[in-house]
Amino acid sequence: MNAFIIADNIISPLGFTSSENFDELKKMHTGVKRLEKSTLSNEPVCAAVIDTNKLDAAFQKLSAKQEYTRLEKMVILSINDCLNQNKNIDISNKKTLFIFSSTKGNVDLLDASLASKFDKKRIYLWETANVIAKHFNNPNQALTVSNACISGVLAIILAKRLLEENKYDTIIVSGADILTHFVVSGFQSFKAISNEVAKPYDVKRDGISLGEGCGTVVVSNNKSLAVTLSASSRAESRDEGQASAIIISGGASSNDANHISGPSRTGDGLLLAIEKTLKESNVKASEVNYISGHGTATLYNDDMESLAITDAQLASVPMNSLKSYFGHTLGAAGVIESIIGIHSMRENTLIGTYNFNELGVTKPINIIKNTQKQEVNNCLKTAAGFGGCNAAVFFQKHR
Amino acid sequence: MVNGTEVYSDSSLPSADFIKSAYKHFQLNYPKFYKMDHLCKLAMVASDLLLKHNPITKKYASEDIAIIIANSASSLEIDTEHQNTISDKNNYFPSPAVFVYTLANILIGEIAIRNSIKGENTFFIFDKFDADFMGSYNNSLLSSNKATCCISGWVEFYENEYEAFLYLVEKEKNELNIEHTSEQLNKLYINQI
């Protein structure tokens, strides 16, 4: 059995489809802006925020029959685009499962100004997931993962594992988080936010940029659905004949067992997740084409990654971070960044790391500076998060 | 209750105080405990009692032990506390010591640190304990050799209500001899909570 990617979408400040987002990244345009005044913070802050008017205008076109929260609107738009891309997805089928990945869900409802607009239950992540599933008449109880910044990668790994059990034949994975005063004030209290756009792996990096968004991937055990998609993407792609179906071939999570808010000093937790992932994928380190790193642009995280990547014998593999484009989108990051990896494979194009100038991590690794054309047959996506958690997932072109 | 036997009770205390008093009663001796939020404190007491009776870390490699836990309210208890620190501009005091706990999976991290466990870890959110899913997911981790032992269960603390139900799943039979099925899990959950 294989887990094929049969549709995908990204909702971010850079666009409301995956292709819009990928095109902006190819041009190395960032979605992170300096906001002098906002509801997010009492002081200026750099963040990647979706324009509410644009979001509402897009959502209005769906003629929804009830009120949805900002987060739910993003997810519904994202899934809706996937259903339009691939008409073979039967979301109302008993064999289709919805997996929802989020760290904070509808956390904006904790604010007194919004709390009264929705039922009190709506702040529970399982309820948010069920509201979204119900919008699309999906008959199953949604599965919700909330595991800090590895949530999105974990949700994709889960999709593969659950498909293998044969209870479902299609799994829709959405990762989403909104940017709120709640989240910004918390990271500010940690003094973790840069005053400029984040500079992943750079010698001058000094903290994260936060962001919001949603990513959705639809995964199926049916290759014919994936072939349909690759035929259409081939027509659009400049690399005729290169496009092929993409599978999730392995994935694993691990824990540093070291500190709840600081990354491991040795990178051995992330190394463990990478090694388990490559082993399951039956791939040697020398065969990896591209790494989509976590790259939050904090001093310690990027150093830790350089150690893990080096110990995994991957130091020469081209690697980037997308946090300087989307900001850190928390529970959405793993899904959004995986989708960019998938499009890098489809278009054989590696995205340069915005704002990266000079390598400044403990061990030398191969950070991609400028967007480049290159054959990309596979992608290793890694993530790490609070609670000492790490995860990795591997995508491959299906031969 | 541990393995069906009551080991400590005090119905006179409010939730948070009961957890602290259980920690003292069992002399768990882990100074970090006092820094934790209520949800992690609860997870810590429950996991300490579970692992004291079943020293799995001596039996299995640290990277082969999985921690798969779920609840309903995520970290809403401490989320509300953090929200209260930022809702008034004139009384604004967000704190990293509070904010770090605004993720439910931190309790998995705390159990992992306390016991040096490095395997698979995932925090799920369900409206109620879902024995069918938890049972089949843990079975699949064991049968695909992604873990040799799983610490699993339900840890919830919100608005002064709490529940902690943790259990171990192993491939080999142990002295309890309880088969790992959703029926058995439901029975154990209902009997203990």
Side-chain angles (χ1 to χ4, degrees):
Chain A
M1 208 248 20
N2 278 306
F4 296 93
I5 307 292
I6 64 164
D8 57 79
N9 167 275
I10 297 172
I11 304 284
S12 89
L14 292 171
F16 284 9
T17 65
S18 298
S19 337
E20 277 172 37
N21 276 278
F22 196 72
D23 286 346
E24 290 298 306
L25 263 55
K26 275 196 286 192
K27 291 181 253 172
M28 297 187 70
H29 291 167
T30 178
V32 181
K33 301 244 150 43
R34 184 179 166 87
L35 308 167
E36 296 299 333
K37 251 190 113 173
S38 72
T39 54
L40 297 176
S41 169
N42 302 335
E43 49 203 81
V45 64
C46 277
V49 182
I50 294 172
D51 183 328
T52 301
N53 293 330
K54 198 183 155 197
L55 179 72
D56 287 343
F59 192 75
Q60 213 161 26
K61 289 187 193 146
L62 304 184
S63 322
K65 290 188 186 74
Q66 64 172 93
E67 268 300 299
Y68 289 100
T69 64
R70 181 178 172 81
L71 176 113
E72 290 157 8
K73 285 177 188 170
M74 288 178 0
V75 183
I76 290 170
L77 275 172
S78 184
I79 295 175
N80 194 64
D81 180 51
C82 289
L83 301 181
N84 286 335
Q85 258 172 54
N86 193 328
K87 298 287 182 197
N88 291 313
I89 302 167
D90 183 2
I91 196 166
S92 59
N93 196 298
K94 192 82 195 132
K95 297 204 79 175
T96 302
L97 175 71
F98 174 50
I99 302 183
F100 177 52
S101 151
S102 184
T103 63
K104 300 311 305 167
N106 285 326
V107 68
D108 51 343
L109 302 187
L110 279 182
D111 194 296
S113 64
L114 273 175
S116 56
K117 267 188 86 180
F118 293 93
D119 188 282
K120 194 173 179 256
K121 221 166 58 173
R122 201 66 160 255
I123 195 147
Y124 288 81
L125 287 163
W126 53 264
E127 173 67 1
T128 312
N130 282 333
V131 162
I132 295 162
K134 232 177 257 167
H135 174 88
F136 292 102
N137 295 317
N138 182 266
N140 296 309
Q141 178 189 257
L143 182 62
T144 304
V145 185
S146 189
N147 212 96
C149 306
I150 70 163
S151 303
V153 173
L154 268 180
I156 293 173
I157 297 170
L158 271 167
K160 173 184 158 52
R161 289 180 183 171
L162 295 181
L163 277 180
E164 280 165 357
E165 285 171 37
N166 277 320
K167 194 175 164 196
Y168 303 101
D169 57 28
T170 305
I171 299 185
I172 298 170
V173 180
S174 293
D177 263 307
I178 50 168
L179 208 45
T180 51
H181 189 200
F182 182 102
V183 169
V184 173
S185 62
F187 281 100
Q188 279 170 338
S189 76
F190 262 103
K191 308 211 180 305
I193 303 182
S194 175
N195 283 321
E196 296 164 28
V197 181
K199 298 179 270 297
Y201 309 116
D202 192 274
V203 68
K204 290 185 185 150
R205 72 184 181 281
D206 61 356
I208 64 170
S209 296
L210 286 166
E212 64 181 353
C214 175
T216 300
V217 284
V218 185
V219 190
S220 163
N221 56 13
N222 185 344
K223 191 188 177 188
S224 67
L225 303 186
V227 169
T228 312
L229 177 81
S230 68
S232 70
S233 72
R234 187 182 302 148
E236 293 162 17
S237 163
R238 269 160 256 159
D239 298 284
E240 266 195 68
Q242 290 290 318
S244 50
I246 288 168
I247 56 167
I248 307 164
S249 56
S253 63
S254 65
N255 200 289
D256 294 334
N258 173 55
H259 196 277
I260 54 167
S261 61
S264 140
R265 282 168 193 214
T266 60
D268 60 345
L270 180 58
L271 175 66
L272 184 62
I274 292 173
E275 284 177 339
K276 284 184 175 182
T277 298
L278 295 184
K279 193 177 165 207
E280 187 187 359
S281 304
N282 208 8
V283 161
K284 293 195 274 293
S286 59
E287 295 171 298
V288 177
N289 286 170
Y290 159 55
I291 305 164
S292 174
H294 189 53
T296 57
T298 65
L299 276 178
Y300 294 121
N301 172 78
D302 293 8
D303 276 345
M304 179 281 285
E305 275 183 84
S306 78
L307 294 170
I309 293 296
T310 303
D311 288 346
Q313 314 291 323
L314 294 166
S316 63
V317 179
M319 173 170 174
N320 63 11
S321 160
L322 304 171
K323 297 290 191 299
S324 46
Y325 291 101
F326 297 111
H328 192 347
T329 55
L330 310 174
V335 184
I336 291 176
E337 292 163 13
S338 289
I339 295 169
I340 296 300
I342 289 162
H343 281 251
S344 289
M345 291 163 70
R346 288 204 189 119
E347 296 200 24
N348 291 302
T349 302
L350 293 178
I351 301 296
T353 306
Y354 182 83
N355 239 3
F356 169 76
N357 287 305
E358 190 189 339
L359 189 71
V361 288
T362 319
K363 292 266 183 178
I365 47 174
N366 183 10
I367 301 303
I368 308 162
K369 201 166 176 177
N370 296 306
T371 297
Q372 62 200 55
K373 294 290 279 184
Q374 181 177 323
E375 194 175 339
V376 190
N377 292 319
N378 58 49
C379 164
L380 175 69
K381 170 74 205 127
T382 60
F386 275 4
C389 51
N390 306 279
V393 62
F394 198 66
F395 300 93
Q396 276 182 293
K397 284 182 185 165
H398 186 62
R399 301 288 179 197
Chain B
M1 275 171 65
V2 178
N3 293 347
T5 311
E6 184 176 294
V7 290
Y8 180 66
S9 81
D10 188 339
S11 53
S12 68
L13 294 172
S15 324
D17 294 344
F18 174 74
I19 298 165
K20 252 186 258 172
S21 130
Y23 168 85
K24 282 181 195 150
H25 174 83
F26 292 110
Q27 301 177 329
L28 297 180
N29 192 25
Y30 189 53
K32 276 187 197 166
F33 177 86
Y34 291 100
K35 287 188 183 173
M36 296 176 194
D37 73 333
H38 297 322
L39 185 67
C40 285
K41 278 182 179 148
L42 177 61
M44 200 46 52
V45 170
S47 62
D48 261 28
L49 290 178
L50 178 77
L51 298 181
K52 195 165 84 179
H53 288 79
N54 307 273
I56 50 161
T57 48
K58 292 197 178 81
K59 198 167 158 192
Y60 302 107
S62 63
E63 60 263 33
D64 292 333
I65 303 171
I67 309 179
I68 310 294
I69 295 176
N71 78 5
S72 167
S74 185
S75 54
L76 276 172
E77 177 78 12
I78 194 127
D79 290 359
T80 310
E81 200 177 318
H82 175 67
Q83 183 72 31
N84 290 340
T85 68
I86 60 166
S87 51
D88 183 357
K89 265 188 192 172
N90 301 315
N91 185 22
Y92 186 81
F93 57 102
S95 143
V98 171
F99 182 67
V100 70
Y101 287 103
T102 64
L103 293 162
N105 68 292
I106 297 296
L107 73 85
I108 293 182
E110 295 283 19
I111 296 172
I113 293 168
R114 168 80 153 145
N115 301 286
S116 298
I117 292 171
K118 297 186 170 178
E120 288 278 338
N121 48 144
T122 305
F123 202 95
F124 291 104
I125 310 281
F126 293 105
D127 60 343
K128 51 185 187 296
F129 177 64
D130 187 335
D132 287 338
F133 178 82
M134 295 298 268
S136 75
Y137 189 62
N138 284 319
N139 278 340
S140 80
L141 285 177
L142 294 179
S143 64
S144 59
N145 294 317
K146 291 185 166 69
T148 50
C149 173
C150 304
I151 301 172
S152 192
W154 179 262
V155 183
E156 171 91 337
F157 192 112
Y158 188 39
E159 294 180 328
N160 287 318
E161 301 279 327
Y162 71 93
E163 284 181 1
F165 166 54
L166 290 181
Y167 56 90
L168 293 172
V169 194
E170 297 173 88
K171 271 189 179 177
E172 298 160 32
K173 258 188 194 173
N174 61 15
E175 75 269 21
L176 286 177
N177 199 15
I178 301 170
E179 204 189 338
H180 181 236
T181 61
S182 58
E183 291 77 27
Q184 287 289 2
L185 284 178
N186 269 327
K187 218 191 268 176
L188 289 170
Y189 173 70
I190 290 160
N191 287 345
Q192 305 222 2
I193 294 291

